[in-house]
Amino acid sequence: MKPIPITVFTVVEGTSVNGPTGFLGSGKTTTILSLLPQLPRDYKVVLLKNEFGDVEVDSQLAKQSSLAAVSEILNGCMCCILVGQMKTALLEIQRTYNPDRIIIETSGSAFPATLAFQIRELEKETNGAFKLDAIATVIDAENFTGYEDTSTTAKMQAAYTDILLINKWELVSERQLDIVMDHLFTLNESTPKIKCNGRAGVDPSLIFGLDSKLFLTSDGDSALNIGGEHQEEVETFTITRGTSPSMGHIHNESCGHTHADEHLKQPDVTSVSVLTRAQLEKSLASLNKEVVYRVKGFVKLTEEGGVNSIMILNWAFGRYELTSIDAEVGDKGLIGANLRLTIMGERGEVRSKGRAFSTLLGAVLS
């Protein structure tokens, strides 16, 4: 049997004009989904997604695509905290689906060097059942401001990639794009840099079949010694509204603290009315972009005529997108509530902002 090629999508971690880029909407999921319609109908692709937080937003969106399956690793980064789970998940995908290709979408905070090394180890352990085809790094041109020359982490992340995909470049001026490109050439001079074509993404032939040469030799020590505390700067919480009585309290294991007593002080939101779009927009407008990095999740909205619809919300950099989703899929994401969001932001600061945001929504912060 031919080895299953693996393509890893990641971003370069660091600080942009509004916060850590690795935890914001660089466009990895959009780029991945744009590839699928360009592939042969009988070409089977499985997505392994490392979601940050406990709301499987992009995974549910991906399930409406032509992907053969979506597998998820939640609440942690699979290059450090959840190291080992990636190998287990890949083996399960092989046994269950035996796809033509596996795409791994990282949480955004992952070190591609560590993932590449793990995949190379799996190649050896399975006698070549898998093959690292490429690591593709997505750059958000609108919010990427580059890094100091002394940024070792950024340099190592940018070095361990086979292609740099420039996303959202059409949203910036020529001068801004030149600045972004200058930074990228400083970080990685030799790797190809390709501009994505908006939501049309990029031609699969430019990404698939690269036959990566990363970690073909036994140079994994540097990858494994980069350190695994890179996500400690970000804190995540769950916001729920209209929780059914049977649900009880949703506890987000990634928030890292005990809040049973605090929950007793939260308002009772059982059987509250469904939000309107105007109410949601007003609440989103109150968010502090310096502290809150990302809000994503499921929300049921009352539209004109009193019709309720379930949407996926993606908010970053003060901009948001609402995407309609199949009612059955949406109900699974809401788990009995009419709003369920993950809020991500600066550790030690985001909780107070999240509490104010949840109050505006008439929701519970957990």
Side-chain angles (χ1 to χ4, degrees), residues 16-264:
S16 76
V17 66
N18 286 312
T21 59
F23 299 96
L24 293 162
S26 61
K28 296 190 304 298
T29 301
T30 300
T31 302
I32 291 169
L33 296 182
S34 72
L35 295 168
L36 304 179
Q38 305 179 65
L39 300 173
R41 287 193 174 186
D42 59 348
Y43 193 86
K44 190 187 299 183
V45 178
V46 172
L47 173 65
L48 174 58
K49 184 173 177 62
N50 187 194
E51 185 71 83
F52 195 72
D54 71 344
V55 178
E56 309 90 337
V57 175
D58 295 332
S59 295
Q60 294 292 352
L61 192 60
K63 287 175 182 176
Q64 297 191 132
S65 70
S66 58
L67 286 164
V70 178
S71 182
E72 298 152 344
I73 297 178
L74 301 175
N75 284 327
C77 176
M78 61 186 172
C79 82
C80 53
I81 294 177
L82 302 180
V83 63
Q85 286 197 25
M86 181 182 72
K87 289 184 179 181
T88 301
L90 290 173
L91 290 169
E92 179 63 26
I93 289 171
Q94 179 201 31
R95 286 192 297 267
T96 306
Y97 302 103
N98 191 29
D100 295 296
R101 178 174 299 273
I102 297 173
I103 294 178
I104 296 177
E105 182 182 355
T106 70
S107 64
S109 61
F111 288 105
T114 311
L115 296 178
F117 180 70
Q118 288 184 52
I119 294 171
R120 290 299 189 200
E121 289 295 295
L122 186 60
E123 289 179 11
K124 299 172 186 176
E125 294 168 10
T126 60
N127 295 316
F130 299 89
K131 179 183 73 172
L132 176 62
D133 186 30
I135 290 182
T137 301
V138 179
I139 302 295
D140 178 357
E142 186 180 19
N143 296 295
F144 183 83
T145 56
Y147 308 88
E148 297 294 334
D149 291 343
T150 55
S151 177
T152 304
T153 300
K155 282 186 175 182
M156 292 194 73
Q157 286 185 305
Y160 289 102
T161 188
D162 297 287
I163 188 168
L164 291 164
L165 302 175
I166 317 303
N167 199 26
K168 304 182 186 179
W169 60 270
E170 68 276 9
L171 301 178
V172 304
S173 66
E174 288 188 20
R175 175 172 174 75
Q176 286 175 301
L177 183 57
D178 285 342
I179 292 172
V180 170
M181 297 304 291
D182 285 344
H183 283 304
L184 292 179
F185 274 103
T186 299
L187 288 171
N188 189 327
E189 184 176 5
S190 59
T191 296
K193 300 161 187 65
I194 306 295
K195 291 194 289 187
C196 295
N197 185 21
R199 288 195 170 273
V202 63
D203 189 331
S205 64
L206 297 175
I207 300 176
F208 297 164
L210 292 184
D211 194 17
S212 177
K213 300 300 185 289
L214 295 173
F215 285 104
L216 282 177
T217 57
S218 57
D219 54 354
D221 288 344
S222 60
L224 299 178
N225 290 331
I226 295 175
E229 303 301 321
H230 52 277
Q231 73 169 21
E232 289 302 311
E233 65 192 46
V234 171
E235 206 163 3
T236 71
F237 301 96
T238 299
I239 296 174
T240 55
R241 185 178 192 272
T243 307
S244 64
S246 61
M247 276 186 65
H249 179 51
I250 296 178
H251 178 73
N252 181 358
E253 295 296 337
S254 66
C255 62
H257 65 278
T258 302
H259 44 284
D261 292 338
E262 181 176 328
H263 175 59
L264 297 176

